[in-house]
Amino acid sequence: GHKQSVDSRGKSGKVPGSSSMVQKHGVESSGGGGGVIISGPSLFDNLPEDCISNIISFTSPRNACVAASVSKTFESAVNSDSVWDKFLPSDYSSLIPPSRVFSSKKELYFAICDNPVLIDDDKKSFWFEKSNGKRCIMLSPRKDMWITWVSTPQYWRWISIPEARFEEVPELLNVCWFEVRGGMSTKYLSPGTRYSAYIVFKTKDRCPNLGDVPAEATVGLVGQASSQRFIYFVGPTNRGRERETRDVTKPKLRKDGWMEAELGEFFNESSCDEVATSILETKSPYWKRGLIIQGIEFRPTKSP
């Protein structure tokens, strides 16, 4: 997201590292937190390529791609497998689809960013957040979620749709008691990271008797206090309820065509905990229908 500038000799880009160290070698600060601008030979120009690769591997995928624009030497260093090996998890080989062949680890990294893969016996969909390499997970409704009455055909049915990541997803036909839960070990997530959880879904006919009713959502590590909020699957049509909607999270349209509602946040300090989520609506006496659930998703929380 940083701007680049080009000097009179045609060099462009920015060098990662301390601006106070590189200013002595013809690099000036651009001011305002925008990084540095190359205006002459850099200290890094004389470093061996493998040394540059090692330095870049301690940054992030975003910074690595920015560094690649500095020079041909930097570009070659960034493309090295040793750089992207640091951005991939140690068990990355299990993430490679059998039918795919990748020319480099950089290509593999971006392939997983853009095309999530199924892991853990197809219980979970896995991908990387492109800018920082943090792990993202979506739980399968069939294998990693618990839905009350989902095995009763008159209440729920399992359907296959091409735009879903999993082989089958549940469609709500008719229930009075709506309860959805999901959970997993935090070992699948990046440690030392704050995560947000989302329910990913589609609705039919505005999801009668559920879409405009606030559902209670909780997220938290097992054994610790959970966050609690209320969410809408659609939102109220009655203007008289505007005051109520201020305290209820509204759904958002995703790029993939599905909807999502944020359930809450938690901090994944280590990889030895369990995270649990729930969405509950049992107060309304009316029968609910018209909801298709793709899964529960965990992504690193965006900064405000």
Side-chain angles (χ1 to χ4, degrees):
H2 292 296
K3 294 181 179 179
Q4 300 175 0
S5 65
V6 181
D7 68 1
S8 58
R9 288 180 295 279
K11 289 187 177 181
S12 67
K14 293 195 295 295
V15 179
S18 170
S19 60
S20 61
M21 174 172 62
V22 295
Q23 282 175 0
K24 298 178 181 179
H25 297 269
V27 181
E28 302 175 355
S29 172
S30 64
V36 292
I37 303 174
I38 295 182
S39 59
S42 166
L43 169 68
F44 294 107
D45 288 343
N46 297 321
L47 293 176
E49 185 177 309
D50 59 347
C51 183
I52 297 174
S53 295
N54 190 45
I55 294 171
I56 294 173
S57 70
F58 286 96
T59 62
S60 68
R62 177 190 289 275
N63 289 336
C65 292
V66 171
S69 64
V70 170
S71 66
K72 289 294 184 182
T73 301
F74 268 70
E75 182 180 14
S76 179
V78 167
N79 290 334
S80 168
D81 278 352
S82 64
V83 171
W84 297 91
D85 190 57
K86 291 289 186 69
F87 301 147
L88 290 166
S90 57
D91 59 347
Y92 73 88
S93 59
S94 64
L95 304 175
I96 304 176
S99 59
R100 293 293 303 275
V101 177
F102 299 96
S103 61
S104 67
K105 291 182 178 179
K106 179 182 178 182
E107 183 185 5
L108 168 62
Y109 173 86
F110 283 107
I112 296 176
C113 288
D114 297 330
N115 300 285
V117 297
L118 296 179
I119 63 170
D120 194 23
D121 296 327
D122 296 347
K123 293 179 181 178
K124 302 171 180 67
S125 176
F126 176 94
W127 71 103
F128 300 118
E129 188 169 274
K130 189 174 293 186
S131 63
N132 55 31
K134 298 289 187 179
R135 304 177 187 184
C136 305
I137 290 285
M138 180 187 285
L139 302 182
S140 162
R142 172 72 86 174
K143 301 179 180 180
D144 262 343
M145 293 171 58
W146 300 267
I147 303 173
T148 301
W149 301 113
V150 76
S151 299
T152 306
Q154 70 242 44
Y155 298 142
W156 292 82
R157 69 172 178 175
W158 291 94
I159 60 174
S160 296
I161 51 178
E163 62 268 29
R165 298 186 186 183
F166 303 105
E167 184 176 353
E168 290 184 314
V169 293
E171 178 184 352
L172 173 58
L173 299 180
N174 218 15
V175 297
C176 189
W177 185 285
F178 178 83
E179 182 179 18
V180 175
R181 299 184 183 273
M184 67 172 178
S185 168
T186 56
K187 70 179 182 180
Y188 294 100
L189 303 174
S190 297
T193 304
R194 177 163 289 279
Y195 275 88
S196 295
Y198 304 82
I199 183 168
V200 183
F201 62 93
K202 288 187 175 184
T203 62
K204 287 185 173 181
D205 302 323
R206 294 183 59 86
C207 196
N209 297 324
L210 178 62
D212 61 348
V213 178
E216 181 182 347
T218 63
V219 175
L221 299 177
V222 175
Q224 301 183 24
S226 298
S227 66
Q228 181 181 8
R229 67 174 58 178
F230 289 89
I231 66 168
Y232 278 126
F233 287 106
V234 178
T237 55
N238 186 349
R239 293 186 177 181
R241 298 172 64 183
E242 288 181 358
R243 179 180 303 228
E244 177 187 334
T245 65
R246 297 175 189 171
D247 300 324
V248 184
T249 300
K250 296 180 181 179
K252 295 181 179 179
L253 179 64
R254 296 157 53 100
K255 292 181 180 179
D256 60 8
W258 290 79
M259 302 295 295
E260 69 178 22
E262 185 174 352
L263 307 178
E265 301 177 7
F266 66 97
F267 183 74
N268 182 35
E269 186 172 354
S270 63
S271 299
C272 57
D273 294 308
E274 294 280 332
V275 60
T277 66
S278 69
I279 308 97
L280 185 68
E281 206 304 292
T282 59
K283 296 179 180 179
S284 169
Y286 304 106
W287 289 82
K288 308 160 182 66
R289 62 184 187 274
L291 184 71
I292 300 172
I293 301 175
Q294 180 170 201
I296 292 177
E297 188 168 288
F298 299 90
R299 306 195 306 265
T301 303
K302 297 291 185 183
S303 300

